[in-house]
Amino acid sequence: MSGKPMTCDQAELRTLFLFEKLSEDQLARLCREGRVELFEPGPVYTEGEPATCFFVLLHGTVVLSRRVGTDDVEISRTSQRGVYAGAFQAYLGDRARAAQYNGSMRVTEPSRFFVLPAETFAAVMRDWFPMAVHLLEGLFFGSKNTQQVINQRERLLALGSLSAGLTHELNNPAAAAVRATSALRERVAGMRHKLGVIAAGRYEPNTLRALVDIQERTAEQVAKAVPLSPLEASDREDALGDWLDDHGIQSAWQLAPTFVQAGLDTDWLDRIAAAVDEGTLEGALRWLNYTVETELLMNEIEDSTTRVSTLVNAARQYSQLDRAPYQVADVHELLDSTLMMLSGKIGNRITVVKDYDRTLPSVPAYPGELNQVWTNLIDNAVSAMEDGGGEGTLTVRTALDRDRLLVEFRDTGPGVPQEIRNRIFDPFFTTKPVGQGTGLGLDISWRIVVNKHHGSLEVHSEPGDTRFQVWLPLTAAESDLPPQDSAARPGSETPVEAS
């Protein structure tokens, strides 16, 4: 949108903080190569258009906004004379960023601007302030390179923490499987010996067939056993122990707990007693005890190896190493894999509640990078609750919010103080002690959600109720756009606010 041309006044330019130290010749050049324009209420320029001009407000009110998903988010509103916007980094050249406006500006009342073409602004900066331009270039590109290096370091630190947690989680089921395998070997050897004893005894064929049938049904019963409460298990052990003592079975206290764990009761023992004579009852019970122990150990091995397989699958899902970087993904799978990877850090004192809306559709995304966001937000929530006493509840909720998918992380920690809430997404800002945080976790999360997925990330906090909310677009049309270099975040300063 072009404005109405007006006369440029050197004296007026000198009243602005940007130009008050310039010489008369420099002011004359600005008036000669620039212009003053009057804009009626409405847009001045739009995000994504070629950045052709540098604007300085002379009079009026400007509003700067950024596009986030399908919404225009207002970043700043001011009437202060001398604030500037537009191609204010033109002197950095094309190396800094594509020559496009990285936001939109509109005016809410008739407003006058001093307008300088971007090429002229770049030229006068290099002519008048060559050393300053070099320093600013060094600051800009140095900060950018430093941030890239530290971003990588942040990811490596997170990877190291996850690796330690994963190793710990894998060690437990692996060790359990090794122990169960060793015990199983002993039980199978005992079963072979007991089978030889039974074969050498004087069992009638019908008795052996009955025992084999009981053995098969016992194995099936073990698989269907329902866990009992400690009180229920104790009562049943007493009942089985009394039955075994009444029938003259030695070491009844050793057999009873195993039978109870398998879900067996006195009715089952009565069926065995009816199938064999009194002289062979004890041998038959001990043979069936080996069967029960073998089934229980195999169940333990199955549970342990399933746990290992689940952890490995979670690690693969989390890393996304065998998948395309960009795909349609189920956020619940990503959340579950991240929670499992962080289960060691979360520990037993923090309760995790999953409030998922399973009807939500899959969304186009970069799953590996979203997992990095979940990691950062969960890690922050856990750290906050640890600082608040080590206990609490982490609630992970998903929902449909109009045309976007909402993922919310809620913790019961002490909350984010109001005075720093607008700064937590800034690079290098951290509330953790020196050496425990880089201040880049939330900055990285912001860039992934807003810049790469064209969503939004917000925080709402009060003591006992802190919520980080991530909104993601549902359609590829909104999210499959070229990533931007930057986007405004809550509380960040923008050039239009310069004074």
Side-chain angles (χ1 to χ4, degrees):
M1 177 180 178
S2 60
K4 177 182 177 182
M6 303 181 72
T7 303
C8 180
D9 184 358
Q10 288 184 217
E12 184 179 23
L13 291 187
R14 187 173 293 284
T15 63
L16 304 178
F17 63 85
L18 279 178
F19 307 135
E20 61 184 358
K21 301 297 184 180
L22 297 183
S23 68
E24 291 300 325
D25 290 341
Q26 290 172 329
L27 289 174
R29 179 178 176 182
L30 290 180
C31 275
R32 185 173 61 252
E33 300 187 28
R35 61 189 183 272
V36 173
E37 292 188 29
L38 176 66
F39 289 83
E40 295 299 327
V44 177
Y45 61 76
T46 303
E47 182 175 351
E49 292 178 347
T52 58
C53 295
F54 171 66
F55 294 85
V56 182
L57 180 65
L58 297 175
H59 173 78
T61 301
V62 298
V63 177
L64 189 69
S65 62
R66 295 278 176 88
R67 192 74 170 171
V68 178
T70 58
D71 302 323
D72 285 317
V73 180
E74 181 175 320
I75 304 304
S76 179
R77 181 186 294 255
T78 182
S79 300
Q80 182 180 350
R81 297 180 70 252
V83 295
Y84 56 90
F88 57 88
Q89 289 183 328
Y91 60 87
L92 293 175
D94 293 337
R95 292 185 301 158
R97 60 183 69 242
Q100 295 178 340
Y101 294 118
N102 61 1
S104 300
M105 186 170 74
R106 61 186 175 89
V107 295
T108 59
E109 61 177 319
S111 303
R112 290 191 306 121
F113 290 89
F114 173 69
V115 183
L116 199 62
E119 297 82 0
T120 302
F121 176 63
V124 298
M125 284 290 291
R126 295 191 184 101
D127 291 344
W128 297 345
F129 315 107
M131 183 175 179
V133 168
H134 287 306
L135 291 174
L136 289 171
E137 284 181 335
L139 177 63
F140 179 85
F141 294 111
S143 297
K144 191 172 183 179
N145 293 335
T146 299
Q147 185 166 342
Q148 289 176 347
V149 171
I150 297 183
N151 283 358
Q152 184 178 13
R153 175 65 174 172
E154 178 82 7
R155 289 184 171 91
L156 288 174
L157 289 173
L159 179 60
S161 176
L162 288 172
S163 298
L166 180 61
T167 301
H168 174 76
E169 291 298 316
L170 286 171
N171 181 66
N172 292 334
V178 171
R179 290 193 301 269
T181 302
S182 177
L184 179 62
R185 183 176 287 107
E186 295 178 3
R187 300 304 185 276
V188 171
M191 182 180 290
R192 289 198 302 267
H193 173 73
K194 187 60 65 176
L195 183 61
V197 172
I198 291 175
R202 297 180 179 181
Y203 287 88
E204 294 294 329
N206 290 339
T207 300
L208 287 175
R209 282 195 293 271
L211 282 174
V212 171
D213 180 63
I214 292 173
Q215 182 186 41
E216 292 296 327
R217 285 188 283 113
T218 299
E220 294 176 1
Q221 177 65 29
V222 172
K224 300 175 182 178
V226 178
L228 302 176
S229 68
L231 183 59
E232 291 173 331
S234 178
D235 291 342
R236 185 171 292 186
E237 285 179 17
D238 290 340
L240 289 179
D242 291 341
W243 190 98
L244 294 171
D245 288 336
D246 292 342
H247 289 76
I249 307 301
Q250 300 296 318
S251 303
W253 60 274
Q254 292 180 328
L255 299 178
T258 303
F259 290 160
V260 170
Q261 188 178 356
L264 308 179
D265 53 21
T266 54
D267 291 339
W268 179 80
L269 295 178
D270 287 336
R271 288 196 296 272
I272 298 175
V276 299
D277 57 53
E278 186 176 349
T280 57
L281 176 60
E282 182 166 355
L285 286 174
R286 294 195 179 278
W287 177 51
L288 291 173
N289 181 62
Y290 282 121
T291 299
V292 171
E293 288 186 326
T294 300
E295 289 295 322
L296 291 174
L297 288 169
M298 286 192 293
N299 286 347
E300 185 176 346
I301 292 172
E302 181 181 18
D303 290 342
S304 299
T305 54
T306 299
R307 173 67 175 166
V308 171
S309 178
T310 300
L311 286 168
V312 171
N313 286 336
R316 186 171 66 247
Q317 171 73 23
Y318 179 86
S319 64
Q320 297 287 315
L321 290 178
D322 59 344
R323 306 189 181 193
Y326 181 82
Q327 59 181 285
V328 176
D330 183 347
V331 294
H332 301 115
E333 292 181 359
L334 305 182
L335 290 167
D336 286 340
S337 67
T338 304
L339 287 168
M340 182 168 291
M341 292 291 289
L342 293 174
S343 58
K345 180 176 180 61
I346 294 173
N348 297 323
R349 300 182 66 188
I350 294 176
T351 302
V352 177
V353 177
K354 298 179 183 179
D355 183 9
Y356 291 168
D357 180 356
R358 294 287 185 178
T359 65
L360 292 175
S362 298
V363 296
Y366 295 86
E369 300 202 26
L370 283 183
N371 282 337
Q372 179 70 34
V373 174
W374 313 150
T375 299
N376 292 338
L377 298 181
I378 293 171
D379 182 76
N380 280 355
V382 172
S383 297
M385 287 185 281
E386 288 176 347
D387 293 341
E391 296 182 347
T393 300
L394 171 65
T395 302
V396 183
R397 182 172 73 94
T398 62
L400 183 64
D401 185 3
R402 292 175 295 179
D403 59 344
R404 297 188 297 175
L405 186 149
L406 168 65
V407 182
E408 179 183 81
F409 299 86
R410 177 183 180 185
D411 70 73
T412 56
V416 182
Q418 176 66 41
E419 59 269 19
I420 67 170
R421 201 169 298 165
N422 288 338
R423 300 181 58 198
I424 60 174
F425 294 108
D426 291 349
F428 307 107
F429 179 80
T430 179
T431 59
K432 296 180 180 179
V434 176
Q436 295 186 21
T438 62
L440 284 173
L442 291 178
D443 172 58
I444 291 172
S445 300
W446 174 272
R447 292 175 182 276
I448 291 173
V449 172
V450 177
N451 297 344
K452 200 149 192 178
H453 289 85
H454 308 284
S456 58
L457 172 60
E458 295 181 4
V459 60
H460 304 277
S461 182
E462 59 184 45
D465 185 7
T466 297
R467 306 183 186 198
F468 281 87
Q469 297 173 321
V470 176
W471 284 273
L472 299 172
L474 297 177
T475 60
E478 296 173 8
S479 60
D480 195 17
L481 298 173
Q484 305 294 319
D485 280 337
S486 64
R489 60 199 72 203
S492 65
E493 294 184 359
T494 58
V496 78
E497 296 172 338
S499 60

